[in-house]
Amino acid sequence: MTRAPENLLAVRRLLLDHLNVDPDRVRSEDLEPAEVGIVGSASHRGGYHTGSDRVITNDYSVVESPRDRAGLTLNASALDVGMFQVRSAGSTHNLFTFSIWCVQQCAANTPDSRDIREIIYSPDGRVVRRWDRLGRRSSGDSSHLWHTHFSFFRDSTKANRDLTPLFRRYLSTIGLLEDDMTPEEHAWLETVHRNLTVLDGRNPIGQIYTRMAMGEDHTDPSYVVPHPSLRTIGAQLSALQTTVASLLASGLTEDESSVVPGVLAGLSPEEIAAAIPPTVARQVADELSRRLVA
C-alpha cells in the first residue's frame, strides 16, 4: 500500500517542530499535525499523493517526467501544508508568504529546490496558482486556497534524498531556526556558486571560457591559435618530459653539457627568454651581441 517515505516525514517533522508553536493545544494560528499530509486518503487515486498501487493509466505524476517514471515505488511523493501564522524577527509569516517564498526559490532554480516538480498554492487566499517546473499546468482547485501542495519528483523519494534543506533555509530566513553561517559567509558562498556556474562549462559563457582555455574558440579547424593554450602547453610539457626521460635513461644525468641542450631543444625562444631571471637578462643579451659581432 502507498506509504509515506522517510525523507518527506523528515520535512513534516521539521515544519511541525517550528510552526506548531503551541503543540499542547489546537489553535488556528498554528500548523497542526492534521494539516501536514503526505499519503492521500484511501479513496485517493492518481497524482503524487499516491504510490504505485494507486496510480492510474497515463497518470501525470508518472508519465510526464523520466524522473517520475524511474522513481515510481509505493512511496507517495507529495506534501500538503495547511494554514499557519507566526511572528518572528518583527514580521508576520503565514502560509501565503511561505508559499510565495518557496515558489521564488523554485523559479530561481536554487540547488535545494530542484527536486520539487510543482507547487499549487494561493498567494493571497483569493486565487489559486500553480508553479510547474515542466510548464504543463498553471492552476489548481479551490482547496488550495487554504493549503499548499508540493509535488516532488519520484526519484527523490525513491532515493531517500534529503529534502529538508529548502525548508530549513526558509525557517532560518524568517528567524525560527538558527543559522550557523554569518551573512558574510552566505555572501561568499553565493559568489562562489555564481562564479563556478558561469565558469564550469554548463552554460554558454562557461563553454566560451573552456574553449578559449583549450585554444578552440573558433570555427575553422585549420586555424592555428597564435597564443598559448592548455592544449599547446600540455603538448610542450609532454615533449619536455619525454626529453628528460630519454636523457635519464641514457645515463647522461651528470653531463650538464648534454642535458642542457636537450632541455633547451624542447623550448621555444619565447619560453627560453621567459625563463631567464631579469637580473641576468641584460648580461645574456650583451653576451649574445658580443658573439654575433665576433
Side-chain angles (χ1 to χ4, degrees):
M1 59 184 297
T2 295
R3 63 199 175 202
E6 180 55 40
N7 54 357
L8 286 185
L9 288 172
V11 176
R12 183 178 186 273
R13 287 192 297 269
L14 175 69
L15 294 177
L16 288 173
D17 284 348
H18 294 87
L19 299 177
N20 186 12
V21 179
D22 188 353
D24 295 328
R25 61 192 179 106
V26 176
R27 301 192 312 152
S28 60
E29 296 88 350
D30 286 4
L31 182 64
E32 303 295 339
E35 296 178 301
V36 189
I38 298 173
V39 177
S41 63
S43 61
H44 198 113
R45 291 293 180 271
Y48 286 91
H49 281 295
T50 67
S52 57
D53 62 328
R54 294 199 217 163
V55 296
I56 59 178
T57 301
N58 293 323
D59 195 317
Y60 91 103
S61 73
V62 179
V63 302
E64 291 183 351
S65 169
R67 295 188 60 182
D68 289 326
R69 290 193 294 272
L72 180 62
T73 65
L74 284 172
N75 290 337
S77 202
L79 182 76
D80 283 345
V81 180
M83 299 289 284
F84 67 87
Q85 180 172 296
V86 294
R87 288 282 300 175
S88 178
S91 299
T92 298
H93 310 278
N94 56 36
L95 178 66
F96 306 133
T97 59
F98 164 68
S99 302
I100 291 170
W101 184 90
C102 289
V103 169
Q104 290 172 341
Q105 306 312 301
C106 290
N109 197 32
T110 59
D112 54 6
S113 69
R114 291 171 185 165
D115 284 324
I116 295 177
R117 186 262 162 95
E118 65 183 350
I119 301 177
I120 310 174
Y121 69 106
S122 174
D124 53 14
R126 295 188 295 271
V127 298
V128 174
R129 294 179 181 172
R130 188 185 204 131
W131 179 88
D132 184 350
R133 189 176 296 276
L134 302 182
R136 298 295 190 96
R137 297 166 186 80
S138 59
S139 63
D141 65 61
S142 61
S143 70
H144 298 93
L145 291 173
W146 57 83
H147 85 271
T148 294
H149 169 93
F150 294 85
S151 295
F152 298 83
F153 285 114
R154 291 183 181 274
D155 62 355
S156 67
T157 48
K158 179 180 181 180
N160 196 30
R161 194 152 48 244
D162 184 5
L163 299 176
T164 61
L166 175 70
F167 303 95
R168 287 186 178 279
R169 189 156 62 84
Y170 168 74
L171 295 170
S172 297
T173 298
I174 67 172
L176 288 180
L177 187 63
E178 183 177 352
D179 190 345
D180 294 333
M181 294 178 61
T182 66
E184 292 76 16
E185 289 172 327
H186 275 293
W188 177 80
L189 280 178
E190 290 174 2
T191 300
V192 170
H193 173 72
R194 181 172 60 252
N195 291 341
L196 288 177
T197 301
V198 169
L199 295 175
D200 73 354
R202 288 182 298 171
N203 58 38
I205 296 177
Q207 292 168 11
I208 290 172
Y209 277 105
T210 301
R211 292 197 307 272
M212 288 175 64
M214 295 299 293
E216 298 172 350
D217 190 30
H218 52 79
T219 57
D220 182 1
S222 64
Y223 176 72
V224 178
V225 179
H227 55 75
S229 67
L230 291 177
R231 194 176 298 280
T232 60
I233 292 172
Q236 292 170 359
L237 287 175
S238 295
L240 181 58
Q241 288 172 334
T242 300
T243 300
V244 172
S246 176
L247 291 170
L248 291 173
S250 65
L252 298 178
T253 56
E254 296 181 0
D255 187 353
E256 293 183 359
S257 63
S258 298
V259 174
V260 173
V263 172
L264 293 178
L267 300 175
S268 66
E270 292 80 5
E271 291 166 328
I272 295 173
I276 299 175
T279 54
V280 299
R282 173 56 62 186
Q283 300 174 31
V284 172
D286 292 341
E287 178 60 21
L288 290 175
S289 297
R290 185 186 65 77
R291 293 188 182 190
L292 289 172
V293 171

